[in-house]
Amino acid sequence: MTENTGGGHGGAPGSRGRTTVADVVVEKIAGMAARDVRGVHALGSGFARSMGSVRERMPGAGGGRSAMRGVSVEVGEKEAAIDLEIVVDYGVSITDVAGDVRENVISAVERMVGRDVVEVNIMVSDVKLPDEEDEGEERQRIR
């Protein structure tokens, strides 16, 4: 994604040149903004989370991938569309959480990237029950 910020020697110094922001940057911003919402337990499906936890334990594996798990974006020169897959905590209002996620993601992406977010589609793939173990947690064994 590229932003033309003006041309010629007559413009302000801050407007001379072009700024390019990679799609992965928008994915990370959207993922972090979604995780900040109370009631969001995780992003991605159970399978994606378990594969991600295995991948994160491998030496040299990119630690930033977890911020993008469950996030996909389409970014143009002026607009962005974002798809999120989330897991919510049991007992919260899914519609309220989804609305809060939309607001937070739109605000963060528009403020940080300067693109209009035309839509944030949310798919709730699971509910985290209080007595369930998190993916990647190892069970304690009595010895």
Side-chain angles (χ1 to χ4, degrees), residues 5-50:
T5 55
H9 297 292
S15 67
R16 295 181 197 166
R18 183 166 53 193
T19 304
T20 302
V21 180
D23 290 0
V24 68
V25 173
V26 178
E27 288 176 351
K28 286 183 178 183
I29 292 167
M32 292 303 294
R35 277 186 182 78
D36 284 346
V37 173
R38 186 171 180 271
V40 173
H41 178 74
L43 268 64
S45 66
F47 178 73
R49 290 192 323 273
S50 62

Side-chain angles (χ1 to χ4, degrees), residues 63-124:
R65 290 295 309 166
S66 64
M68 300 177 313
R69 191 177 313 129
V71 182
S72 64
V73 300
E74 291 181 35
V75 183
E77 287 189 30
K78 296 181 180 184
E79 297 177 333
I82 300 165
D83 294 326
L84 300 169
E85 184 176 354
I86 66 173
V87 177
V88 298
D89 291 321
Y90 176 79
V92 300
S93 166
I94 292 174
T95 55
D96 289 348
V97 170
D100 292 346
V101 167
R102 277 191 187 91
E103 286 182 33
N104 214 33
V105 168
I106 290 169
S107 174
V109 170
E110 288 183 347
R111 178 178 49 83
M112 294 178 72
V113 183
R115 298 295 184 272
D116 290 329
V117 177
V118 294
E119 64 183 12
V120 176
N121 299 310
I122 298 171
M123 203 265 280
V124 178

